[in-house]
Amino acid sequence: MNHISPHTGTHTHTHAHAHLHIHKPTFSILSLLHWETARKQVFIQLLTGTFSVPSTSICSFHSVLPQDNLELDLLRSSIAWPETPPLLTNFFLNDTSDPAHSTFTILPRKDGGSWHVGDQLEVLIKMNNFLGRPKKSGGDVLFARLHNPTVRAGVTGRVSDYGDGSYTAVFPLLWEGSAQVEVTLVHPSEAVTVLRKLNLEQPDRIYFQSIFRSGQVSETTKCNVCLKAPKEKLCNFTDPYTGEPWFCYKPKKLNCDSRLTHSKGGFNKKLTPMEEKLFQSGVNMKVAISASGLSNITISPKLQGTTHFLPTNPAGYYYQGVWRALDGTRVLQFNTSTAVSQCLKGKVLHLYGDSTIRQWFEYLTESLPGLKKFDLKTPKQNGPFLALGPENNILVTFRCHGPPIRFATMPANQARYIASELDSVIGGKDTVVVIGVWSHFSTFPIEVYIRRLLSIRRAVVQLLTKAPGTVVIIRTANPKALTIYETLTNSDWYSLQCDKVLREIFKGVNVQLVDAWEMSIAHHLPHSIHPQPPIIKNMIDVILSHTCPAAASSERQTKL
């Protein structure tokens, strides 16, 4: 899994499948000027068709700006997943991972005796197929959680894959009393084989469309990050500031500049009947694995005079339903609208991203009586939105990120890129920028997401150079409820890849993370792409704690 180090401001990435130390990117005015020059060159090359791409197309799902190629290779390595079994056309479901025949076992304490707060609990997971035979390879997607419903406590476990059908999950012991182990098979390794193949062979399975109109003539054509056609048959809407590619098929009768709208067009599901059986709710997708023996332990108080280091480095844990950070963040509780308003007094809060960020805008406007949403006559799903709190001089805005946003029909000129928007932010000690971009990139090869995040990182660094006091907060991905459609477009495995990449890209940059991934897995509520209110409340508390840490004098500080 992914974790944040206990050192404030430094993020580390820990996972079971690849260990790679990535040098922190260094930035300077000179490097930013080099990037600006390179960006303009690439944009000109894209427009003229002289960019180095296959002769049949002027675009690619796998390209980044030339100066990013080295980092791209490192990022690909950082998310390396174990080899998963190749699937023959007539493979047998009985040979695949079956949670009902798999087990986990709590391993004895290394020094013997009883468990204490500060110890580490290790669980051995053995995967078997539907015939009850041991699996011989790794690559299964597993989540692990340690929890106590009575005190509403929970923490994620770090899962390690040994490549032979066995795994371990490691948990820090952080509270006294009972602790129950929960292990879930999200996807069998064979399903990961299919998910990989889909993003390589069908990156356009979700397609988009635009309406072109001039006078009484109207045409609708398909659009995407890349389209297989010669340049004379395409409208090139590559963003001039970021170099982000976007193309539509050229209308038969109209010019490219007559484009009016952007919207999600539809979804093409291309699975074989056998492949579809790898994604069955209640059978082999998001299903709990049973314990072989006890599934719970009792944790005694911490031994006096002992000092424990938490090698698993979770971002935090829940106790009494409240998120307690372990990354150095002092998480405060803002339990009244007055406390929230006082924190945001005189602040400008800019929210950029997908619907999981819009959810935070909605939470704030619904929970603060003095924060009034200003009617901009914009679509309810897309925005942009603006809310004002005149009494406390609060301004909150929301803008969705640009293509490939899957929202309903929106004006094409409102499909803007976050990096471009950040360029116009004044910034300063009273400005908070919150960014959350992940869910709409799941169907593409990871390079599309990497390119977007690198673009956003450059803009964030420019903003922090211009206005160092600006608070920048990044929201990670989170797991969700999975149907067959959600899996093929937004699988937790896809989200996990995005989550790892995001952490690596922003490592060493002066940003704060809201660890939605761990805050969702550690909580007892069901996974949802839009987490339920108790989780959102904890996320907002983290944001506000970064926004006004001085509030410790008037608000109860969460004890770590």
Side-chain angles (χ1 to χ4, degrees), residues 63-231:
S63 66
V64 295
L65 292 175
Q67 69 270 28
D68 293 328
N69 281 324
L70 176 59
E71 188 169 3
L72 173 62
D73 291 338
L74 293 172
L75 289 166
R76 283 177 180 142
S77 298
S78 76
I79 60 170
W81 196 262
E83 283 297 314
T84 54
L87 291 181
L88 301 174
T89 305
N90 56 343
F91 74 91
F92 294 104
L93 187 67
N94 282 343
D95 294 332
T96 68
S97 302
D98 176 21
H101 281 93
S102 302
T103 61
F104 71 84
T105 305
I106 295 177
L107 300 179
R109 188 171 180 265
K110 287 186 177 180
D111 298 327
S114 59
W115 301 98
H116 293 268
V117 171
D119 286 343
Q120 180 175 279
L121 178 69
E122 188 171 6
V123 172
L124 177 65
I125 305 163
K126 288 284 193 178
M127 297 303 299
N128 296 319
N129 65 21
F130 279 82
L131 300 176
R133 296 169 182 161
K135 292 293 294 294
K136 302 297 184 183
S137 60
D140 297 297
V141 185
L142 297 165
F143 288 167
R145 181 170 77 105
L146 189 70
H147 66 108
N148 179 330
T150 304
V151 295
R152 292 179 293 150
V155 67
T156 61
R158 186 190 69 208
V159 177
S160 297
D161 185 341
Y162 293 94
D164 59 0
S166 65
Y167 305 76
T168 56
V170 179
F171 308 89
L173 302 185
L174 299 163
W175 62 84
E176 298 177 19
S178 175
Q180 181 88 22
V181 176
E182 181 182 279
V183 178
T184 302
L185 176 69
V186 180
H187 291 305
S189 56
E190 294 81 6
V192 174
T193 300
V194 175
L195 293 172
R196 269 178 167 155
K197 185 180 74 167
L198 284 174
N199 274 16
L200 288 173
E201 298 178 2
Q202 301 174 38
D204 56 353
R205 60 189 181 279
I206 282 187
Y207 60 92
F208 304 83
Q209 61 189 26
S210 280
I211 296 174
F212 295 78
R213 183 177 298 137
S214 179
Q216 299 300 311
V217 181
S218 178
E219 295 183 60
T220 301
T221 73
K222 286 185 179 181
C223 308
N224 218 313
V225 171
C226 185
L227 296 170
K228 297 178 181 178
K231 66 176 182 178

Side-chain angles (χ1 to χ4, degrees), residues 358 361-362 373-387 397-400 407-411 413-416:
R358 186 189 66 218
F361 179 90
E362 293 164 350
K373 183 178 176 181
F374 192 79
D375 188 4
L376 298 177
K377 310 298 182 184
T378 53
K380 183 178 180 181
Q381 186 182 33
N382 310 329
F385 303 133
L386 183 149
T397 69
F398 166 79
R399 179 174 285 279
C400 68
F407 287 170
T409 302
M410 60 192 295
N413 62 6
Q414 290 298 317
R416 301 179 188 175

